[in-house]
Amino acid sequence: MLKYFFKRCAAIVPVLVVVSILACGFVRLLPGDPARMMAGPEADSATIEMLRSQLGLDRSLPVQYLTYMGSVLRGDLGRSLKTKLPVFQELRLRDLPTMYLAVAGMAWSLVFGVIFGAVAAIYNGKWQDYTAMLVSVSGISLPQFWLGLLAIQLFAVHLGWLPVAGFTGKWSELVLPSITLGATVAAIMARFTLSAFLEVLSEEYISTARAKGVPERLVMWKHAFRNALIPVVTMAGLQFGFLLGGSVVVETVFAWPGLGRFMIEAVAVRDYPVLQALLLLYSFHFVFINLLVDMVYALINPEIRFE
């Protein structure tokens, strides 16, 4: 187990190197010149060229990449072209709100998604099954921006129960954005849990347990549910990574001070250091979450052993 953990940790390094190369190349494919945007529309060509030289944009792409990676290895992610502040400081301010939002969205969507999927599997073909799947299909079909605006209009404007936008650290500010963000994931988890549960229920050891007279409740929750959770955990880990990287729409609708909104602002001004750091951070989140998912396997099913 420990050997596998260190092996996976070592595999993260080449993945991040490849991502850093792609990030450095892709952000420079964006139309527009950061130096021209910083100089303003009235600047002459000499001023623009001077800015390009100061930013290092007049160098070749490989030199720019090696210079950037040298700074990253020293713990320096550069400075934002827009705010002139260190990128690390900017990310530290925005990473925690995005993490709060993603964790809250994942928590409620995982609970309700697994419950709905399990109920649909246990009562397969009955009204409980159709109701649970109707709710899950609705969650997948509703666009996040529309659901967010609807939630604001109903719960914030008309009823006045919850805050409209922003984040100051209160738990009530998490409710509407997390529900909006996790709606699609809850629907996906419900359908995936249903599929995994039905597959497990068709296994021979389930039929054997029933033939031995094991109570149906024990068959469902001790034998079927535990084994059905293994693929569900895999999907949950993947969806959590997508929540961290896919919160752009929700953060924009709710004026959430997180990484997704920060990325939109960075794209608007072609803030290369910020965009590169965000892509590296998102990739690290995704790879690390996959590692944690693999570790959780052994906790769910002790029979699983890694070489």
Side-chain angles (χ1 to χ4, degrees):
M1 183 73 173
L2 191 61
K3 180 180 178 181
Y4 176 80
F5 175 77
F6 286 115
K7 186 186 298 184
R8 287 295 308 272
C9 288
I12 293 177
V13 177
V15 172
L16 293 179
V17 170
V18 173
V19 170
S20 67
I21 295 173
L22 296 176
C24 189
F26 285 158
V27 297
R28 283 159 177 77
L29 294 177
L30 293 172
D33 187 353
R36 182 174 295 277
M37 292 182 178
M38 292 176 63
E42 304 298 329
D44 55 21
S45 58
T47 303
I48 294 174
E49 288 302 321
M50 182 182 66
L51 273 175
R52 287 182 58 83
S53 178
Q54 291 176 355
L55 298 174
L57 299 176
D58 57 340
R59 304 174 185 176
S60 64
L61 187 57
V63 173
Q64 292 184 47
Y65 171 74
L66 293 176
T67 303
Y68 174 73
M69 288 306 298
S71 300
V72 170
L73 293 176
R74 295 193 300 270
D76 181 13
L77 297 176
R79 286 183 173 269
S80 169
L81 302 183
K82 178 182 178 181
T83 64
K84 306 296 190 270
L85 295 174
V87 174
F88 182 81
Q89 179 180 335
E90 296 274 17
L91 296 183
R92 186 176 58 183
L93 292 174
R94 292 168 173 83
D95 186 52
L96 205 55
T98 295
M99 192 65 69
Y100 285 151
L101 181 60
V103 169
M106 191 70 223
W108 82 261
S109 62
L110 185 60
V111 170
F112 284 97
V114 170
I115 291 176
F116 275 36
V119 168
I122 293 172
Y123 298 99
N124 187 31
K126 300 180 180 180
W127 68 268
Q128 294 94 332
D129 176 18
Y130 298 131
T131 303
M133 287 303 100
L134 177 62
V135 173
S136 68
V137 170
S138 300
I140 295 175
S141 305
L142 295 177
Q144 283 186 335
F145 72 90
W146 183 84
L147 184 61
L149 294 174
L150 183 65
I152 291 174
Q153 185 69 23
L154 178 60
F155 295 103
V157 177
H158 284 315
L159 299 177
W161 291 352
L162 297 166
V164 176
F167 179 64
T168 60
K170 298 178 181 178
W171 71 267
S172 58
E173 297 168 334
L174 275 168
V175 176
L176 292 183
S178 65
I179 290 176
T180 304
L181 182 64
T184 302
V185 175
I188 293 173
M189 294 306 301
R191 296 185 65 82
F192 198 82
T193 302
L194 170 62
S195 177
F197 220 111
L198 291 177
E199 183 176 352
V200 170
L201 289 176
S202 64
E203 297 290 339
E204 292 184 0
Y205 63 86
I206 298 294
S207 302
T208 302
R210 286 170 171 167
K212 289 181 178 180
V214 177
E216 187 67 15
R217 180 177 298 179
L218 193 61
V219 171
M220 287 293 179
W221 298 110
K222 182 178 180 180
H223 298 283
F225 187 69
R226 188 181 68 178
N227 290 286
L229 271 185
I230 296 176
V232 172
V233 168
T234 304
M235 180 58 66
L238 295 175
Q239 292 301 318
F240 185 66
F242 288 130
L243 283 184
L244 286 172
S247 59
V248 175
V249 174
V250 174
E251 290 186 4
T252 302
V253 171
F254 289 92
W256 195 262
L259 296 176
R261 190 179 174 197
F262 190 38
M263 175 175 281
I264 294 296
E265 297 172 356
V267 170
V269 296
R270 309 300 187 268
D271 199 337
Y272 289 170
V274 170
L275 291 174
Q276 291 172 170
L278 282 171
L279 291 173
L280 283 175
L281 182 60
Y282 282 137
S283 302
F284 177 78
H285 282 160
F286 200 82
V287 173
F288 186 70
I289 288 168
N290 285 336
L291 174 62
L292 291 181
V293 168
D294 288 344
M295 298 299 107
V296 171
Y297 281 172
L299 298 178
I300 297 176
N301 190 348
E303 295 181 359
I304 295 178
R305 293 292 182 268
F306 300 109
E307 297 181 358

